[in-house]
Amino acid sequence: MKRFLTIGALAKQAEVSADTIRFYEREGLLGSPDRLASGYRHYDADALARLQYILRAKSLGFTLGEIKGLLTLETDRENGVEGVRQRAQERIADLDRRITEMTRMRDALKALADACPGSGEPEACPILSALHGEEAPECCEGGSGKASS
């Protein structure tokens, strides 16, 4: 006999909110569940396994769009594994770019914080000066201030 879960029970087991589950359904990551006569969603163990797959993929940095692609590739017996590996390599390259950018931002902010006296007039604060674009130290010149995504 199959065991079925309500959305609340599924959410609790997966440690997400019911809204997250509904969102994944709308995005096509989770199939629409059967409904009981009362209108309650009726999930099976496959839905829990799929939800856990999605959450593990997210924890590795994959976007929801990429996860959709992984789910599709998983059923491709001919090219699926190669495609999954390629997506993983692309994700690694993106993470490396983001790490480099975040390291640059951290180093720039650290240089500003180290140069800040921590008291006195706001005009003497290199952090505030850099934010206003006034005589930014070498670490911060030419930066747009925007984090890349």
Side-chain angles (χ1 to χ4, degrees), residues 3-104:
R3 181 169 169 241
F4 291 97
L5 303 167
T6 63
I7 194 168
L10 178 64
K12 186 174 182 178
Q13 283 196 20
E15 298 179 349
V16 297
S17 70
D19 285 339
T20 296
I21 294 170
R22 289 185 199 100
F23 177 74
Y24 291 161
E25 287 174 11
R26 284 191 306 272
E27 293 298 309
L29 291 162
L30 279 174
S32 296
D34 293 333
R35 290 189 181 254
L36 301 173
S38 62
Y40 285 104
R41 289 172 168 88
H42 196 219
Y43 297 92
D44 60 16
D46 291 341
L48 177 59
R50 178 79 167 242
L51 184 54
Q52 290 169 331
Y53 178 107
I54 294 164
L55 296 172
R56 284 190 290 268
K58 279 188 63 182
S59 76
L60 291 172
F62 288 102
T63 66
L64 295 182
E66 291 167 334
I67 294 168
K68 273 185 192 179
L70 292 173
L71 289 164
T72 300
L73 285 168
E74 188 171 24
T75 60
D76 181 345
R77 298 303 233 181
E78 209 170 297
N79 301 307
V81 174
E82 180 183 337
V84 168
R85 183 171 191 266
Q86 180 182 350
R87 299 306 188 293
Q89 290 172 328
E90 290 167 1
R91 174 63 26 220
I92 291 165
D94 182 57
L95 289 170
D96 286 342
R97 282 188 295 277
R98 291 171 58 195
I99 289 167
T100 298
E101 179 63 14
M102 291 181 83
T103 300
R104 185 204 61 76

